[in-house]
Amino acid sequence: MAVVTMKQLLEAGVHFGHQTRRWDPRMRRFIHGERSGIYIIDLQQTLEGIESSYTFVRDLVADGGRVLFVGTKRQAQDAIRSYAEKCGMPYVNQRWLGGMLTNFQTISKRVSKMQEYQRMRDSGEFEAMPKKEALLLNRELVKLERNLGGIQNMERLPDAIFVLDTVKEHIAVTEANKLGIPIIAVVDTDCNPDVIQYLIPGNDDAIRSGRLLCRVVADAIEEGRFIVNSRDGGDDGPSLDAEDHAAEQAQARTEAAEEATERDARVAATVEAAPVEDAAAAPVEDAAAAPVEEAAVVEADAAASDGEQS
């Protein structure tokens, strides 16, 4: 079964390139033609690129590899973050800091500093500080979380990176090539395809196109994890759908337990209130019975007097 279909690519606008005056001649072999001043990308080659990239990512994750998602342009930020978080991979969607790969040791220290600030904030240490000092530390923490929040769990260099728009992310591409890290990238008609190991010719500007291609990489990661769990002897490897279903079941169990606790509390309150009502009703019954008992005593005394007179 194909990873994606030609219809899905057409609906997402993956075939639209840049204007004919904005192009890289090295992309000539991936261009199908031109229409209204816009280059049209050959989707047949796009499908081939998707298949090869999918296979590479799946096998990489099956062997324990990690993929870094990179896309800092406004159209790609949400797709990069959502799909990277869903498949549990690191990502950069705000700003690529120079040396994030080539100077990873220094970046790791900044990540540790961010985690320390987060611990201080959660423990309430910021509130005990002078207001000015706490404000400065909080501002620095916000900045660190914006730039490094997506890689705070990345303890080592990634085994591959997935890039949307290699022109904007040229620093990331250069660093990855310098370190020999394979690159999976969506290359538009204005990109250089010679620096990419696993390229997917396609539109890197449209939101729908970016989301579709991010989903392809996320699905490959999911299948790779399925293979890992199958090797470990599990009947079913954990998938994204399975994880979501398990989370829903856990939430349902929690809600059911809370409802049961509330119901028990209501029953206990009703049982405690019942004796109070009986006690309140008792004096009324006694008051009603008192005249009857008093009349009986009077009748008994009268009968005794009559007996004595006779």
Side-chain angles (χ1 to χ4, degrees):
M1 181 178 178
V3 178
V4 292
T5 63
M6 184 73 74
K7 181 180 179 181
Q8 290 175 316
L9 295 178
L10 288 170
E11 290 176 348
V14 180
H15 58 294
F16 290 118
H18 282 280
Q19 296 176 347
T20 54
R21 59 185 175 84
R22 294 179 53 203
W23 77 303
D24 192 315
R26 289 167 289 193
M27 282 292 296
R28 186 189 303 272
R29 63 183 185 273
F30 300 108
I31 296 176
H32 176 72
E34 176 264 334
R35 187 177 66 184
S36 302
I38 301 293
Y39 278 124
I40 304 300
I41 297 172
D42 186 0
L43 289 184
Q44 192 61 45
Q45 297 190 59
T46 302
L47 285 173
E48 295 174 1
I50 289 175
E51 290 289 344
S52 61
S53 300
Y54 185 95
T55 303
F56 169 73
V57 173
R58 181 195 61 196
D59 296 342
L60 179 71
V61 175
D63 293 334
R66 294 177 66 84
V67 179
L68 174 65
F69 285 63
V70 181
T72 61
K73 64 194 306 180
R74 191 174 299 275
Q75 302 95 312
Q77 288 177 350
D78 291 340
I80 288 290
R81 179 185 56 80
S82 61
Y83 282 102
E85 288 180 348
K86 194 171 184 181
C87 62
M89 289 294 171
Y91 66 90
V92 177
N93 72 332
Q94 292 294 330
R95 178 189 172 195
W96 181 270
L97 302 178
M100 192 169 283
L101 294 179
T102 54
N103 196 15
F104 185 70
Q105 186 175 3
T106 301
I107 297 297
S108 298
K109 293 180 181 178
R110 297 303 296 166
V111 171
S112 299
K113 177 64 70 175
M114 177 188 68
Q115 293 173 341
E116 175 66 17
Y117 286 161
Q118 289 174 337
R119 185 196 62 78
M120 293 171 62
R121 179 193 60 191
D122 297 339
S123 64
E125 294 184 30
F126 280 6
E127 299 176 1
M129 293 180 179
K131 289 185 177 180
K132 186 174 181 180
E133 183 179 357
L135 180 62
L136 292 175
L137 291 180
N138 191 62
R139 286 177 180 174
E140 184 176 358
L141 175 59
V142 170
K143 184 178 179 180
L144 289 173
E145 286 180 334
R146 182 175 64 250
N147 295 327
L148 303 176
I151 63 170
Q152 61 180 341
N153 296 322
M154 189 175 73
E155 300 177 353
R156 58 182 177 83
L157 286 172
D159 299 285
I161 66 172
F162 169 68
V163 180
L164 274 176
D165 195 344
T166 58
V167 173
K168 184 173 180 58
E169 314 300 341
H170 65 279
I171 300 177
V173 172
T174 302
E175 291 186 16
N177 283 322
K178 186 175 182 180
L179 296 176
I181 298 175
I183 303 172
I184 309 104
V186 180
V187 291
D188 211 327
T189 56
D190 63 340
C191 300
N192 178 12
D194 298 337
V195 296
I196 309 300
Q197 287 75 40
Y198 297 90
L199 57 90
I200 303 174
N203 185 353
D204 60 9
D205 294 317
I207 296 177
R208 294 180 63 185
S209 174
R211 292 191 67 86
L212 175 63
L213 298 175
C214 285
R215 181 185 65 79
V216 168
V217 177
D219 289 345
I221 293 171
E222 178 185 1
E223 185 173 346
R225 286 180 174 168
F226 183 90
I227 294 173
V228 170
N229 284 270
S230 299
R231 289 174 181 171
D232 293 341
D235 294 334
D236 296 319
S239 64
L240 299 180
D241 295 337
E243 292 175 0
D244 294 341
H245 184 61
E248 291 177 359
Q249 288 182 333
Q251 184 177 359
R253 286 194 296 269
T254 302
E255 292 176 355
E258 291 176 354
E259 292 177 358
T261 303
E262 293 177 358
R263 185 170 58 253
D264 294 341
R266 290 195 300 269
V267 172
T270 304
V271 172
E272 291 176 358
V276 176
E277 295 176 357
D278 295 342
V284 177
E285 295 176 357
D286 294 342
V292 177
E293 294 177 357
E294 186 176 355
V297 172
V298 172
E299 291 178 359
D301 292 341
S305 300
D306 293 341
E308 291 177 355
Q309 292 175 0
S310 62

